[in-house]
Amino acid sequence: MTTTEDEGRSRIDIGVDPLRTGLNPYLVGDTSSFLDDLSKLVFPRTFVGGELNDELLDWAGPVEPSEGAAQTLVYDINDSAQWSDGTPITGADFVFLWRTLSATNGVRSAAGYQQITDVRVSEGGRRVEVDLASKVAEWRRLFSPLLPSHVVSSGSFSTAMDEEIPASAGKFLVAHADPKRGAIELNRNDRYWGDEPAKTEIIGFQEVGDGVDGLDQVRNTQLSFVNIAPGQTTEDAYRLVDGAQTRTITTGRMLTLSASTASPVVGDAAARRELRELIDVPEVAKLATGRTEDLALPAGANRTSERAAGSDPEALRGAASVERPLTIAADPRHPEAARAARAIVDLAAAKGIPAAVSSVDFTEAVEDLLPAGEVDAVLSWGVASPTALDVASAYSCPTPEQRRLEAKSRDEETGEGDEGDDEEAAAADGWGSNLTGYCDEDTQQRLMAALAGDMGDEELAAFVAGLEDEEALYTPIVGEQRLEVARDELHGPAEDLKDWPDGVGTAGEWELDEEFLNNRAILRKEQEPD
């Protein structure tokens, strides 16, 4: 139901796609449009839209670098900031995020954390000083969001939030999560210390897919908002519902094929280029999304159809065999990735290349199979318009600090290893956000310059284009699009849905029209049996 007036608590229900993944906003394997929105509602961010989050922080910024550091950042945490279980937000949460993201494969935007050499905490945990070996111009993106280290640090980071978010520090907390039933319920966070708490007490998420269930629930006012991946005619159907507005938006996410340099099949750049050349991007995009019109195709995608038809992948054909086929990994929890993988395998087979799909959990793919050369490429959601931080994350070599932390993390989990064994730590494997394993010293120097802000947008784009022309590491397939539907009685950031700066991420500002609630309460009263 959209409201629970009989209990005296306001409620808004939202229809979403099936909840197939975990709830960790930093894992590429968990990432989704829904999770990005959910994290905005339940986790604290140091900066929002590039502006200081003055409800979490009293101050943050660069200071005179410490000895040996290229950059030092200071964060002063608001004394009132706390997690929903009453635990204060402290520097321990910063330290946890640094150590974890610097030592975990398949995470988002790791490059900034890989430059951190030390985090010092003082003033009862409320002041945090961060030293970096190289300057990070986009430092405002660090530590956003923070995670509750006191409840997620004891187990595996990859599984700690598979089915729940144990503590929150946003306007809402997760009161109930049942991914198998496709339902998550948020309650207003009574421990939220900010000046503007959530206007509505309960937000309910329920999976609806793109079928008629969501249509019926919007039509009969059970759902006040919908955010789903659109089918071919989904928006047309919702547009006909009286009392509802619709819009289709393109998010900042891009379905991307990442080819591994550790692969025995595409480890050579010539084979990777041939793999890219045989991909008919518009055709794969259609099959991945189930739509044929208004797709968010990457630049130059239409030229790939003719190129694919005329390609002759001689090197790739010679590298693959029946015993060791070209193997494309895709997490079955991401249906677009799984469908794209099957399409690419079919295109390869049509060129006489033995090929297969590996349906495997993304974490297993990036932690084990890709580095070991057991799969050749993986499909996942990446960044559509990467900034310098994203580019550095995608192409950087593991740094000595990252290798040390990876070795330390493994030692802590296994209880083995000798502390201070720098030689062994330096040899530790780990790709971080780099899903290809690519590492080149000259490229690394350019990446550090870009990360420091010494490379303009045009120069960065030209650098990436040249690198990709030569190495063919990442092949973009299709941008993500979302259909949003809002009933007229839902009051959000603006009267017209098309003017909303964000969708579900703004739910803390939402409330239902009072006249609508009163009228429905009267109707329900009349429908009650005598």
Side-chain angles (χ1 to χ4, degrees):
M1 304 302 293
T2 304
T3 61
T4 54
E5 297 95 335
D6 54 331
E7 300 177 7
R9 304 182 71 193
S10 57
R11 177 183 180 116
I12 294 173
D13 279 290
I14 301 170
V16 295
D17 289 326
L19 308 175
R20 300 182 176 95
T21 67
L23 301 173
N24 189 326
Y26 282 105
L27 295 179
V28 175
D30 282 0
T31 183
S32 67
S33 177
F34 166 73
L35 183 54
D36 287 347
D37 287 332
L38 180 65
S39 68
K40 295 174 185 176
L41 301 176
V42 301
F43 291 128
R45 295 172 177 268
T46 54
F47 285 77
V48 179
E51 299 295 326
L52 179 74
N53 178 3
D54 57 10
E55 294 185 333
L56 173 65
L57 301 174
D58 293 333
W59 187 83
V63 296
E64 184 69 23
S66 302
E67 184 177 357
Q71 185 179 29
T72 296
L73 307 171
V74 170
Y75 300 84
D76 289 328
I77 305 171
N78 187 318
D79 287 340
S80 299
Q82 60 183 308
W83 296 101
S84 54
D85 60 4
T87 302
I89 296 174
T90 68
D93 300 312
F94 286 73
V95 172
F96 167 73
L97 210 56
W98 160 48
R99 292 193 178 277
T100 302
L101 297 184
S102 296
T104 305
N105 285 357
V107 295
R108 304 165 75 174
S109 304
Y113 299 96
Q114 291 166 4
Q115 302 312 309
I116 297 175
T117 58
D118 190 29
V119 176
R120 296 180 298 280
V121 181
S122 60
E123 298 185 16
R126 295 298 189 173
R127 166 162 278 217
V128 183
E129 298 177 64
V130 181
D131 289 340
L132 297 94
S134 300
K135 183 180 178 182
V136 176
E138 295 175 69
W139 62 271
R140 290 174 180 81
R141 288 178 56 186
L142 298 175
F143 306 109
S144 286
L146 289 172
L147 300 181
S149 62
H150 63 290
V151 288
V152 299
S153 61
S154 57
S156 168
F157 186 67
S158 298
T159 59
M161 290 185 282
D162 269 0
E163 296 185 353
E164 65 173 351
I165 294 177
S168 309
K171 294 185 177 184
F172 293 96
L173 59 85
V174 178
H176 174 73
D178 189 349
K180 293 181 180 178
R181 288 184 55 249
I184 292 180
E185 185 172 281
L186 308 184
N187 284 358
R188 185 159 59 197
N189 182 6
D190 291 336
R191 290 187 182 273
Y192 185 67
W193 63 96
D195 295 333
E196 298 182 4
K199 293 182 178 180
T200 297
E201 292 174 279
I202 302 173
I203 300 291
F205 296 99
Q206 180 65 49
E207 70 173 54
V208 296
D210 64 354
V212 297
D213 289 348
L215 275 168
D216 289 342
Q217 292 179 70
V218 171
R219 192 177 290 115
N220 64 25
T221 72
Q222 286 181 287
L223 293 177
S224 296
F225 196 87
V226 171
N227 181 311
I228 56 175
Q232 182 71 27
T233 60
T234 312
E235 183 169 14
D236 294 334
Y238 275 97
R239 195 182 293 120
L240 295 177
V241 176
D242 185 42
Q245 305 179 61
T246 66
R247 71 173 180 179
T248 296
I249 60 171
T250 299
T251 71
R253 303 191 326 134
M254 175 72 68
L255 185 63
T256 303
L257 178 73
S258 306
S260 170
T261 59
S263 158
V265 178
V266 297
D268 184 75
R272 292 196 300 273
R273 288 193 296 269
E274 289 183 356
L275 173 59
R276 172 179 289 174
E277 289 170 359
L278 68 79
I279 299 174
D280 182 341
V281 171
E283 187 66 20
V284 175
K286 292 175 186 178
L287 295 171
T289 61
R291 294 184 290 118
T292 61
E293 298 176 355
D294 300 324
L295 297 174
L297 295 175
N302 291 324
R303 296 193 298 272
T304 66
S305 299
E306 183 177 350
R307 183 188 68 191
S311 68
D312 182 20
E314 182 179 353
L316 189 55
R317 195 180 294 119
S321 66
V322 174
E323 293 77 19
R324 180 55 173 89
L326 170 68
T327 305
I328 309 296
D331 192 324
R333 299 176 303 170
H334 293 280
E336 297 90 349
R339 291 193 290 262
R342 290 193 292 269
I344 292 171
V345 162
D346 288 340
L347 288 170
K351 296 288 185 179
I353 301 168
V357 173
S358 176
S359 296
V360 62
D361 182 89
F362 183 83
T363 298
E364 181 182 355
V366 299
E367 288 187 350
D368 301 320
L369 303 182
L370 279 168
E374 295 182 29
V375 298
D376 306 307
V378 63
L379 276 150
S380 61
W381 288 102
V383 180
S385 300
T387 66
L389 178 58
D390 302 314
V391 170
S393 298
Y395 296 98
S396 280
C397 301
T399 64
E401 177 64 14
Q402 181 188 9
R403 292 191 178 104
R404 183 184 70 78
L405 290 170
E406 286 162 357
K408 180 176 183 293
S409 178
R410 281 196 294 268
D411 291 346
E412 289 175 348
E413 289 184 5
T414 62
E416 301 175 352
D418 297 324
E419 185 175 356
D421 190 346
D422 295 334
E423 184 176 348
E424 180 180 345
D429 293 327
W431 293 1
S433 298
N434 182 343
L435 303 183
T436 71
Y438 174 78
C439 180
D440 176 80
E441 184 176 353
D442 291 338
T443 299
Q444 188 70 21
Q445 293 178 1
R446 298 287 301 277
L447 293 173
M448 291 301 98
L451 195 61
D454 297 334
M455 190 179 294
D457 292 343
E458 292 185 3
E459 184 182 359
L460 178 65
F463 165 67
V464 172
L467 179 59
E468 281 296 330
D469 286 344
E470 181 66 25
E471 298 292 341
L473 298 165
Y474 296 97
T475 301
I477 303 298
V478 66
E480 182 188 48
Q481 292 176 296
R482 309 293 302 173
L483 171 65
E484 294 182 334
V485 184
R487 286 202 57 87
D488 291 345
E489 61 270 11
L490 178 65
H491 294 174
E495 184 174 344
D496 192 328
L497 176 61
K498 291 182 172 58
D499 295 330
W500 287 25
D502 195 6
V504 175
T506 65
E509 305 173 34
W510 297 1
E511 57 186 343
L512 290 171
D513 182 79
E514 186 173 350
E515 183 178 356
F516 166 80
L517 295 176
N518 291 336
N519 289 340
R520 187 160 65 182
I522 293 172
L523 179 61
R524 287 180 179 168
K525 188 71 174 178
E526 293 174 347
Q527 292 175 341
E528 291 178 358
D530 295 334

